[in-house]
Amino acid sequence: MKSLKLVKQEEFFIKPTSPFNFDATFHKPAHFPSALEIWKSGKFWQGIRIGEKLFGLKIEDKGDIDRPLIKINVYCNQKINKNTLVLIQKEIIWRYDLNFQSKEFDELCKKDKRFFPVFQKWRGMRNSCAYELYGLLVVGIVLQNATVRRTVQMMDALLKNYGVELVFDRQVIYWCWQPKDMEQVSEEELRALKIGYRAKFIKKLSQDFVEGKVDEFVLRKMPKEDIKKELTKLYGVGPETARILIAEAFHKYDEFDHIAPWQQKIYSMLFYNEPLVDAKIIKEDIIKRYGKYSMLAVSYIWEDIFWRRKNEHIEWLEKEIRL
DNA sequence: CATCAGGGCCCTG
DNA sequence: CAGGGCCCTGAT
Protein backbone atom coordinates (compact mmCIF):
# COMPACT_ATOMS: atom_id res chain seq x y z
CA MET A 1 0.00 0.00 0.00
CA LYS A 2 1.14 3.49 -0.79
CA SER A 3 1.72 5.86 2.10
CA LEU A 4 2.17 9.61 1.94
CA LYS A 5 3.48 11.91 4.62
CA LEU A 6 1.97 15.34 4.17
CA VAL A 7 2.91 18.61 5.80
CA LYS A 8 0.91 21.78 6.22
CA GLN A 9 1.17 24.11 3.27
CA GLU A 10 -1.80 26.44 3.27
CA GLU A 11 -4.81 27.58 5.22
CA PHE A 12 -7.96 29.46 4.33
CA PHE A 13 -11.46 30.14 5.59
CA ILE A 14 -14.93 29.53 4.17
CA LYS A 15 -18.13 31.23 5.29
CA PRO A 16 -21.04 28.81 4.85
CA THR A 17 -24.54 30.22 4.46
CA SER A 18 -26.40 30.54 7.74
CA PRO A 19 -27.67 28.64 9.65
CA PHE A 20 -24.95 26.01 9.52
CA ASN A 21 -24.36 23.08 11.85
CA PHE A 22 -20.77 21.87 11.62
CA ASP A 23 -20.97 18.56 13.46
CA ALA A 24 -24.25 17.45 11.89
CA THR A 25 -22.90 18.24 8.44
CA PHE A 26 -19.49 16.62 8.80
CA HIS A 27 -20.52 13.59 10.84
CA LYS A 28 -23.36 11.22 9.96
CA PRO A 29 -23.85 8.66 12.71
CA ALA A 30 -26.12 6.59 10.47
CA HIS A 31 -23.22 5.92 8.10
CA PHE A 32 -20.94 2.92 8.52
CA PRO A 33 -17.59 3.70 10.16
CA SER A 34 -14.81 4.02 7.59
CA ALA A 35 -11.09 4.67 7.60
CA LEU A 36 -11.63 7.47 5.07
CA GLU A 37 -12.39 10.17 7.62
CA ILE A 38 -11.98 11.17 11.24
CA TRP A 39 -14.46 13.31 13.10
CA LYS A 40 -14.22 14.90 16.52
CA SER A 41 -16.56 17.61 17.70
CA GLY A 42 -15.70 20.74 15.72
CA LYS A 43 -12.92 19.02 13.77
CA PHE A 44 -12.77 16.84 10.68
CA TRP A 45 -9.96 15.18 8.71
CA GLN A 46 -10.18 13.75 5.21
CA GLY A 47 -8.24 13.38 1.99
CA ILE A 48 -9.03 14.95 -1.33
CA ARG A 49 -7.77 14.32 -4.84
CA ILE A 50 -7.42 17.11 -7.36
CA GLY A 51 -6.35 15.66 -10.68
CA GLU A 52 -3.65 13.16 -9.82
CA LYS A 53 -2.59 14.85 -6.64
CA LEU A 54 -3.60 13.92 -3.11
CA PHE A 55 -4.04 16.34 -0.23
CA GLY A 56 -4.94 16.07 3.42
CA LEU A 57 -7.55 18.39 4.85
CA LYS A 58 -8.19 19.43 8.40
CA ILE A 59 -11.48 21.28 8.65
CA GLU A 60 -12.37 23.15 11.82
CA ASP A 61 -15.43 24.89 13.16
CA LYS A 62 -14.55 28.51 13.91
CA GLY A 63 -18.00 30.04 14.09
CA ASP A 64 -21.47 29.18 15.33
CA ILE A 65 -24.82 28.22 13.86
CA ASP A 66 -25.81 31.76 12.95
CA ARG A 67 -22.37 33.16 12.14
CA PRO A 68 -20.72 30.14 10.58
CA LEU A 69 -17.07 30.05 9.67
CA ILE A 70 -14.81 27.12 8.94
CA LYS A 71 -11.04 26.96 8.73
CA ILE A 72 -9.27 24.62 6.36
CA ASN A 73 -5.67 23.51 6.68
CA VAL A 74 -4.28 21.89 3.54
CA TYR A 75 -1.50 19.30 3.77
CA CYS A 76 0.63 18.14 0.89
CA ASN A 77 4.07 16.72 0.09
CA GLN A 78 4.96 19.74 -2.02
CA LYS A 79 4.00 23.36 -2.53
CA ILE A 80 0.44 23.98 -3.73
CA ASN A 81 -0.32 26.38 -6.55
CA LYS A 82 -3.08 28.99 -6.31
CA ASN A 83 -5.29 27.37 -8.91
CA THR A 84 -5.32 24.05 -7.07
CA LEU A 85 -6.17 25.80 -3.86
CA VAL A 86 -9.17 27.42 -5.51
CA LEU A 87 -10.32 24.02 -6.76
CA ILE A 88 -10.01 22.55 -3.27
CA GLN A 89 -12.10 25.36 -1.88
CA LYS A 90 -14.78 24.87 -4.54
CA GLU A 91 -14.89 21.12 -3.86
CA ILE A 92 -15.37 21.61 -0.14
CA ILE A 93 -18.20 24.05 -0.78
CA TRP A 94 -19.86 21.59 -3.16
CA ARG A 95 -19.39 18.43 -1.13
CA TYR A 96 -20.75 19.92 2.08
CA ASP A 97 -23.31 22.09 0.30
CA LEU A 98 -22.01 25.16 2.08
CA ASN A 99 -23.97 27.58 -0.09
CA PHE A 100 -27.38 26.02 0.56
CA GLN A 101 -30.16 28.59 0.91
CA SER A 102 -32.31 27.24 3.70
CA LYS A 103 -35.01 29.86 4.09
CA GLU A 104 -37.81 27.81 2.53
CA PHE A 105 -36.79 24.73 4.40
CA ASP A 106 -36.66 26.61 7.70
CA GLU A 107 -40.21 27.83 7.13
CA LEU A 108 -41.33 24.29 6.42
CA CYS A 109 -39.76 23.04 9.65
CA LYS A 110 -41.59 25.63 11.73
CA LYS A 111 -44.93 24.36 10.43
CA ASP A 112 -44.21 20.79 11.43
CA LYS A 113 -45.26 20.65 15.08
CA ARG A 114 -44.31 17.04 15.65
CA PHE A 115 -40.73 17.13 14.40
CA PHE A 116 -39.93 20.79 14.97
CA PRO A 117 -37.76 19.94 18.01
CA VAL A 118 -35.68 17.60 15.84
CA PHE A 119 -35.26 20.20 13.08
CA GLN A 120 -34.38 22.77 15.73
CA LYS A 121 -31.82 20.50 17.34
CA TRP A 122 -29.91 19.96 14.09
CA ARG A 123 -30.66 23.33 12.52
CA GLY A 124 -28.23 23.99 9.71
CA MET A 125 -27.38 20.38 8.90
CA ARG A 126 -26.62 19.67 5.24
CA ASN A 127 -26.64 16.44 3.28
CA SER A 128 -23.01 15.90 2.48
CA CYS A 129 -20.40 13.55 1.15
CA ALA A 130 -16.67 13.71 1.78
CA TYR A 131 -15.79 11.66 -1.30
CA GLU A 132 -15.56 12.14 -5.01
CA LEU A 133 -18.23 10.38 -7.07
CA TYR A 134 -16.10 7.31 -7.80
CA GLY A 135 -15.31 6.83 -4.12
CA LEU A 136 -18.96 7.07 -3.12
CA LEU A 137 -19.88 4.59 -5.83
CA VAL A 138 -17.40 2.10 -4.39
CA VAL A 139 -18.94 2.67 -0.96
CA GLY A 140 -22.39 2.19 -2.48
CA ILE A 141 -21.34 -1.12 -3.97
CA VAL A 142 -19.94 -2.54 -0.73
CA LEU A 143 -23.15 -1.52 1.02
CA GLN A 144 -25.20 -3.70 -1.28
CA ASN A 145 -26.77 -6.81 0.15
CA ALA A 146 -24.48 -6.78 3.14
CA THR A 147 -24.69 -6.11 6.85
CA VAL A 148 -22.67 -3.27 8.36
CA ARG A 149 -19.88 -5.50 9.63
CA ARG A 150 -19.37 -7.08 6.25
CA THR A 151 -19.43 -3.70 4.54
CA VAL A 152 -16.68 -2.51 6.87
CA GLN A 153 -14.63 -5.65 6.18
CA MET A 154 -14.92 -5.25 2.43
CA MET A 155 -14.10 -1.54 2.45
CA ASP A 156 -11.10 -2.06 4.73
CA ALA A 157 -9.79 -4.86 2.54
CA LEU A 158 -10.09 -2.72 -0.58
CA LEU A 159 -8.44 0.30 1.03
CA LYS A 160 -5.63 -1.75 2.49
CA ASN A 161 -4.81 -3.22 -0.90
CA TYR A 162 -5.43 -0.35 -3.28
CA GLY A 163 -5.95 2.77 -1.20
CA VAL A 164 -3.44 5.40 -0.18
CA GLU A 165 -2.49 6.00 3.41
CA LEU A 166 -2.31 9.67 4.30
CA VAL A 167 -0.31 10.70 7.35
CA PHE A 168 -0.74 14.31 8.43
CA ASP A 169 -1.53 16.40 11.47
CA ARG A 170 -0.81 13.34 13.67
CA GLN A 171 -3.68 11.48 12.01
CA VAL A 172 -3.70 8.49 9.71
CA ILE A 173 -6.50 8.09 7.20
CA TYR A 174 -6.95 6.38 3.86
CA TRP A 175 -8.10 7.63 0.53
CA CYS A 176 -9.57 5.83 -2.42
CA TRP A 177 -7.47 4.65 -5.37
CA GLN A 178 -8.14 5.98 -8.86
CA PRO A 179 -10.28 4.17 -11.43
CA LYS A 180 -7.26 3.48 -13.62
CA ASP A 181 -5.53 1.66 -10.75
CA MET A 182 -8.09 -1.10 -11.18
CA GLU A 183 -7.03 -1.81 -14.77
CA GLN A 184 -4.18 -4.09 -13.70
CA VAL A 185 -6.27 -5.80 -11.03
CA SER A 186 -8.07 -8.97 -12.06
CA GLU A 187 -11.55 -9.92 -10.95
CA GLU A 188 -10.08 -12.99 -9.24
CA GLU A 189 -7.70 -10.82 -7.23
CA LEU A 190 -10.62 -8.69 -6.08
CA ARG A 191 -12.66 -11.75 -5.23
CA ALA A 192 -9.85 -12.93 -2.98
CA LEU A 193 -10.71 -9.93 -0.79
CA LYS A 194 -14.06 -11.61 -0.16
CA ILE A 195 -16.13 -8.98 -1.82
CA GLY A 196 -17.95 -11.65 -3.84
CA TYR A 197 -19.85 -10.73 -7.00
CA ARG A 198 -19.16 -7.05 -6.29
CA ALA A 199 -15.72 -7.63 -7.79
CA LYS A 200 -17.28 -7.53 -11.23
CA PHE A 201 -19.15 -4.32 -10.41
CA ILE A 202 -15.99 -2.56 -9.28
CA LYS A 203 -14.06 -3.71 -12.35
CA LYS A 204 -16.73 -2.52 -14.77
CA LEU A 205 -17.37 0.67 -12.88
CA SER A 206 -13.68 1.58 -12.88
CA GLN A 207 -13.51 0.85 -16.58
CA ASP A 208 -16.45 3.19 -17.24
CA PHE A 209 -14.64 5.97 -15.38
CA VAL A 210 -11.42 5.34 -17.27
CA GLU A 211 -13.29 5.53 -20.55
CA GLY A 212 -14.86 8.80 -19.47
CA LYS A 213 -18.42 7.50 -19.54
CA VAL A 214 -19.12 9.39 -16.34
CA ASP A 215 -18.15 12.94 -15.57
CA GLU A 216 -19.01 14.05 -12.08
CA PHE A 217 -18.83 17.71 -13.03
CA VAL A 218 -21.23 17.31 -15.94
CA LEU A 219 -23.67 15.36 -13.77
CA ARG A 220 -23.66 18.12 -11.17
CA LYS A 221 -25.27 20.48 -13.64
CA MET A 222 -28.02 18.05 -14.67
CA PRO A 223 -31.57 17.82 -13.34
CA LYS A 224 -32.25 15.02 -10.89
CA GLU A 225 -33.99 12.65 -13.28
CA ASP A 226 -31.12 12.84 -15.76
CA ILE A 227 -28.55 12.19 -13.05
CA LYS A 228 -30.53 9.15 -12.00
CA LYS A 229 -30.72 7.90 -15.57
CA GLU A 230 -26.98 8.34 -16.08
CA LEU A 231 -26.04 6.71 -12.78
CA THR A 232 -28.34 3.74 -13.27
CA LYS A 233 -26.67 3.04 -16.62
CA LEU A 234 -23.55 2.09 -14.69
CA TYR A 235 -23.20 -1.64 -14.14
CA GLY A 236 -23.95 -2.39 -10.50
CA VAL A 237 -25.84 0.83 -9.81
CA GLY A 238 -29.56 0.41 -9.23
CA PRO A 239 -32.27 2.54 -7.61
CA GLU A 240 -30.96 2.41 -4.04
CA THR A 241 -27.34 3.20 -4.88
CA ALA A 242 -28.52 6.01 -7.16
CA ARG A 243 -30.70 7.40 -4.37
CA ILE A 244 -27.75 7.55 -1.98
CA LEU A 245 -25.64 9.36 -4.54
CA ILE A 246 -28.33 11.84 -5.54
CA ALA A 247 -29.13 12.75 -1.94
CA GLU A 248 -25.61 12.90 -0.57
CA ALA A 249 -23.30 13.73 -3.43
CA PHE A 250 -25.63 15.78 -5.62
CA HIS A 251 -27.68 17.39 -2.87
CA LYS A 252 -31.03 16.88 -4.56
CA TYR A 253 -33.21 17.20 -1.52
CA ASP A 254 -36.51 16.32 -3.16
CA GLU A 255 -35.40 12.81 -4.12
CA PHE A 256 -37.65 10.41 -2.25
CA ASP A 257 -38.64 7.66 -4.65
CA HIS A 258 -37.01 4.57 -3.32
CA ILE A 259 -37.41 2.99 0.11
CA ALA A 260 -35.40 -0.17 0.81
CA PRO A 261 -37.11 -2.81 3.01
CA TRP A 262 -34.88 -2.24 6.04
CA GLN A 263 -35.46 1.52 5.76
CA GLN A 264 -39.19 0.94 5.53
CA LYS A 265 -39.12 -0.72 8.96
CA ILE A 266 -37.22 2.17 10.52
CA TYR A 267 -39.42 4.82 8.87
CA SER A 268 -42.50 2.95 10.10
CA MET A 269 -41.32 3.20 13.69
CA LEU A 270 -40.11 6.80 13.36
CA PHE A 271 -43.22 8.20 11.73
CA TYR A 272 -46.04 5.87 12.78
CA ASN A 273 -44.66 4.01 15.77
CA GLU A 274 -45.71 0.81 14.04
CA PRO A 275 -43.53 -2.10 12.94
CA LEU A 276 -44.43 -2.05 9.25
CA VAL A 277 -46.34 0.55 7.25
CA ASP A 278 -46.82 0.19 3.51
CA ALA A 279 -43.93 1.85 1.66
CA LYS A 280 -46.29 3.64 -0.70
CA ILE A 281 -48.11 5.27 2.23
CA ILE A 282 -44.85 6.37 3.83
CA LYS A 283 -43.72 7.90 0.56
CA GLU A 284 -46.97 9.75 -0.06
CA ASP A 285 -47.15 11.11 3.48
CA ILE A 286 -43.57 12.34 3.40
CA ILE A 287 -43.91 14.03 0.05
CA LYS A 288 -47.20 15.63 1.06
CA ARG A 289 -45.58 17.00 4.20
CA TYR A 290 -42.12 18.02 3.04
CA GLY A 291 -42.45 18.41 -0.73
CA LYS A 292 -39.22 19.37 -2.44
CA TYR A 293 -37.32 19.03 0.83
CA SER A 294 -38.48 15.48 1.52
CA MET A 295 -35.07 13.84 1.49
CA LEU A 296 -33.50 16.59 3.58
CA ALA A 297 -36.30 16.54 6.16
CA VAL A 298 -36.12 12.76 6.44
CA SER A 299 -32.33 12.98 6.85
CA TYR A 300 -32.80 15.16 9.93
CA ILE A 301 -35.17 12.65 11.51
CA TRP A 302 -33.08 9.68 10.39
CA GLU A 303 -29.74 11.02 11.62
CA ASP A 304 -31.33 12.23 14.86
CA ILE A 305 -32.25 8.73 15.93
CA PHE A 306 -28.68 7.56 15.20
CA TRP A 307 -27.23 10.46 17.21
CA ARG A 308 -29.49 9.41 20.07
CA ARG A 309 -28.29 5.84 19.68
CA LYS A 310 -24.81 6.99 20.70
CA ASN A 311 -26.05 7.61 24.25
CA GLU A 312 -29.17 5.55 24.73
CA HIS A 313 -30.25 2.04 23.93
CA ILE A 314 -33.12 1.99 21.46
CA GLU A 315 -34.34 -1.57 21.41
CA TRP A 316 -36.33 -1.59 18.17
CA LEU A 317 -33.53 0.17 16.29
CA GLU A 318 -30.84 -2.27 17.42
CA LYS A 319 -32.96 -5.04 15.99
CA GLU A 320 -33.15 -3.40 12.57
CA ILE A 321 -29.53 -2.32 12.25
CA ARG A 322 -28.04 -5.83 12.30
CA LEU A 323 -24.34 -5.43 12.75
C1' DC B 1 -23.64 -29.68 11.05
C1' DA B 2 -26.97 -27.32 7.41
C1' DT B 3 -29.71 -23.60 6.03
C1' DC B 4 -30.86 -18.88 5.38
C1' DA B 5 -31.36 -13.94 4.73
C1' DG B 6 -29.05 -9.83 4.39
C1' DG B 7 -28.39 -1.81 4.26
C1' DG B 8 -29.31 -4.73 -4.28
C1' DC B 9 -28.48 -5.68 -8.77
C1' DC B 10 -28.47 -8.19 -13.12
C1' DC B 11 -30.54 -11.26 -16.09
C1' DT B 12 -33.98 -14.21 -17.81
C1' DG B 13 -38.51 -15.67 -19.27
C1' DC C 1 -42.32 -7.05 -14.23
C1' DA C 2 -41.55 -11.10 -11.20
C1' DG C 3 -38.28 -14.07 -9.45
C1' DG C 4 -33.91 -16.62 -9.23
C1' DG C 5 -29.00 -16.33 -8.43
C1' DC C 6 -25.05 -14.17 -6.64
C1' DC C 7 -20.40 -13.81 -2.64
C1' DC C 8 -19.74 -14.21 2.08
C1' DT C 9 -20.98 -14.16 7.05
C1' DG C 10 -23.23 -14.62 11.28
C1' DA C 11 -27.52 -16.22 13.22
C1' DT C 12 -30.47 -20.08 14.06
Side-chain angles (χ1 to χ4, degrees):
Chain A
M1 192 222 331
K2 278 179 273 183
S3 178
L4 292 175
K5 279 197 182 18
L6 311 172
V7 295
K8 186 179 161 181
Q9 302 285 353
E10 302 280 351
E11 65 175 60
F12 59 87
F13 290 83
I14 298 176
K15 254 191 201 167
T17 48
S18 158
F20 177 71
N21 186 320
F22 184 95
D23 287 333
T25 300
F26 282 91
H27 180 59
K28 306 292 182 185
H31 290 188
F32 79 95
S34 91
L36 291 160
E37 52 190 64
I38 296 171
W39 168 80
K40 290 172 188 164
S41 182
K43 293 185 171 69
F44 189 79
W45 292 263
Q46 71 167 91
I48 192 168
R49 195 189 292 278
I50 302 289
E52 296 276 312
K53 201 97 194 90
L54 274 169
F55 305 85
L57 299 178
K58 178 191 195 182
I59 307 176
E60 291 172 279
D61 190 11
K62 293 288 180 189
D64 56 48
I65 305 262
D66 294 298
R67 284 173 305 277
L69 183 67
I70 63 175
K71 180 184 180 186
I72 293 99
N73 284 340
V74 188
Y75 297 76
C76 190
N77 54 8
Q78 56 182 240
K79 274 187 84 86
I80 307 172
N81 67 44
K82 268 261 154 48
N83 190 33
T84 304
L85 212 55
V86 172
L87 289 175
I88 290 173
Q89 181 164 354
K90 278 189 177 165
E91 273 310 294
I92 295 170
I93 291 171
W94 173 271
R95 292 189 195 180
Y96 295 97
D97 204 13
L98 299 181
N99 283 339
F100 177 60
Q101 302 294 327
S102 68
K103 205 165 173 191
E104 276 183 352
F105 179 65
D106 296 342
E107 292 301 317
L108 198 67
C109 294
K110 279 184 205 154
K111 289 192 200 123
D112 185 0
K113 285 207 181 77
R114 183 172 170 204
F115 287 107
F116 181 67
V118 172
F119 294 129
Q120 194 61 19
K121 187 170 172 193
W122 303 112
R123 196 166 70 96
M125 180 190 95
R126 313 279 159 89
N127 274 4
S128 65
C129 174
Y131 325 131
E132 68 278 5
L133 179 61
Y134 176 74
L136 185 56
L137 277 164
V138 171
V139 169
I141 286 171
V142 295
L143 280 169
Q144 291 171 9
N145 209 18
T147 51
V148 174
R149 184 176 305 166
R150 186 145 139 68
T151 294
V152 172
Q153 277 172 6
M154 290 190 280
M155 198 63 208
D156 284 351
L158 286 166
L159 286 174
K160 216 185 215 170
N161 280 275
Y162 310 110
V164 185
E165 186 185 70
L166 302 178
V167 183
F168 66 99
D169 195 39
R170 286 169 296 171
Q171 313 287 331
V172 181
I173 56 167
Y174 294 83
W175 206 245
C176 191
W177 60 93
Q178 297 187 76
K180 65 182 166 77
D181 300 336
M182 279 292 142
E183 287 191 299
Q184 313 91 289
V185 180
S186 67
E187 193 182 320
E188 292 68 42
E189 191 183 328
L190 283 174
R191 274 178 181 267
L193 303 180
K194 307 188 176 195
I195 64 170
Y197 60 86
R198 297 169 195 80
K200 194 167 156 195
F201 292 2
I202 291 182
K203 277 293 286 177
K204 284 210 184 195
L205 176 74
S206 305
Q207 191 60 32
D208 285 344
F209 269 76
V210 168
E211 288 170 9
K213 287 187 185 157
V214 216
D215 184 337
E216 172 163 22
F217 300 95
V218 173
L219 289 178
R220 284 180 187 178
K221 297 196 179 97
M222 288 182 177
K224 183 190 77 183
E225 288 307 321
D226 293 350
I227 299 176
K228 198 192 284 186
K229 215 185 290 168
E230 289 301 312
L231 290 175
T232 322
K233 272 188 208 164
L234 299 170
Y235 192 83
V237 177
E240 172 61 7
T241 308
R243 184 201 63 79
I244 296 172
L245 293 161
I246 288 168
E248 295 182 3
F250 294 100
H251 314 299
K252 301 296 181 194
Y253 293 145
D254 61 329
E255 168 73 7
F256 202 74
D257 288 351
H258 186 258
I259 300 179
W262 70 281
Q263 294 160 350
Q264 184 188 352
K265 293 180 203 159
I266 295 180
Y267 287 147
S268 299
M269 283 302 282
L270 285 175
F271 295 116
Y272 306 90
N273 203 25
E274 282 176 34
L276 197 62
V277 176
D278 190 82
K280 204 167 152 241
I281 303 214
I282 298 176
K283 208 158 80 177
E284 283 169 4
D285 285 350
I286 294 290
I287 291 171
K288 200 175 352 166
R289 195 182 284 255
Y290 302 115
K292 63 179 187 171
Y293 294 101
S294 292
M295 193 66 241
L296 184 62
V298 168
S299 303
Y300 274 70
I301 297 159
W302 182 268
E303 292 294 336
D304 177 64
I305 193 85
F306 283 87
W307 276 103
R308 277 171 50 194
R309 179 172 174 264
K310 284 174 182 273
N311 304 316
E312 54 183 291
H313 183 81
I314 305 163
E315 183 62 32
W316 64 266
L317 186 61
E318 294 307 316
K319 239 175 47 208
E320 301 306 342
I321 290 177
R322 309 188 127 270
L323 292 174

